[in-house]
Amino acid sequence: MSGARREAGFTLVEALVSLFVFSLVAAGCTALLMQSVASQSRVAEAHEALRALQTARALLAGDAAHIVARAVRDPDGARRPVFVGGDADAPLAFVRVIGEPDAAGGATTSLAYVEYVFRDGDVIRRSRTLLDPAADDAAVERVVLRGVTNPRFAFFDGAQWRDAWAGTTTALQPPRAIALIATLPRYGEVRMDVYVGLGR
């Protein structure tokens, strides 16, 4: 009878070996799970960075495609050129056409003043529908790209790229193309070239 009881149970050594094997399997599964979570996190970060880059390019391309040659005034009354490029205060500034749906289901068009500025490592787009604003008229701001270094614009005149675009209030037209160049943490230096529309 005593021999039968010994065969029916586990010895202490067998139980310890079983626990050791189970702990190895559990540790391996935990490591695989953590690796999967980290991989998903890296994929999500890469997807978000790519989405932000594509959104920035689409926004800049949409603005550039609808530029019109229209001079504006600063809040103090001074006239600004029809297109500003490479200025320290406003690296990129222009007037563009915007479309809005009307009550009849069609579309109406109006003008908006758009500026791109660099602030604390961010590329920011500012826009306002008042072309000649008062001093207290605030613009709507949107962060286009975050955490960039050395952001700058370049301007194509049809023959070569320039670092700045000097203009007058009436004579000089916008450039043929605009490039936004910046160094991003994930991608290094990125250049986005967009064509300027002909509705000017």
Side-chain angles (χ1 to χ4, degrees):
M1 296 293 292
S2 61
R5 284 196 298 271
R6 283 197 299 271
E7 291 177 359
F10 292 99
T11 66
L12 179 59
V13 174
E14 290 173 336
L16 290 175
V17 170
S18 298
L19 288 174
F20 178 71
V21 172
F22 176 76
S23 65
L24 289 178
V25 173
C29 292
T30 302
L32 287 175
L33 179 62
M34 295 300 293
Q35 186 177 9
S36 175
V37 170
S39 177
Q40 289 181 351
S41 177
R42 288 193 298 270
V43 169
E45 290 174 1
H47 182 269
E48 178 62 23
L50 181 59
R51 185 199 63 78
L53 195 61
Q54 291 173 335
T55 301
R57 189 189 186 287
L59 189 59
L60 181 61
D63 282 338
H66 297 93
I67 289 177
V68 294
R70 202 276 198 185
V72 298
R73 294 184 182 275
D74 286 331
D76 60 3
R79 291 179 64 84
R80 301 200 73 178
V82 297
F83 186 93
V84 177
D87 185 86
D89 295 328
L92 183 63
F94 51 83
V95 176
R96 64 155 291 175
V97 176
I98 57 174
E100 296 290 342
D102 62 12
T108 58
T109 59
S110 59
L111 299 177
Y113 187 70
V114 177
E115 291 179 318
Y116 282 79
V117 297
F118 307 139
R119 184 193 306 148
D120 299 328
D122 294 340
V123 180
I124 298 173
R125 178 186 185 270
R126 296 194 303 217
S127 63
R128 65 174 190 257
T129 54
L130 294 176
L131 301 186
D132 303 317
D136 57 348
D137 289 329
V140 177
E141 291 193 354
R142 175 179 178 178
V143 177
V144 178
L145 288 173
R146 295 185 183 277
V148 303
T149 56
N150 195 26
R152 61 197 184 278
F153 285 101
F155 310 95
F156 187 64
D157 62 7
Q160 63 182 357
W161 287 92
R162 302 181 184 181
D163 294 331
W165 191 264
T168 64
T169 56
T170 56
L172 197 60
Q173 296 293 326
R176 300 285 185 88
I178 303 169
L180 172 58
I181 308 162
T183 301
L184 280 68
R186 179 174 291 273
Y187 299 111
E189 185 173 276
V190 174
R191 180 186 178 107
M192 292 178 279
D193 294 358
V194 297
Y195 289 107
V196 173
L198 299 179
R200 52 183 195 234

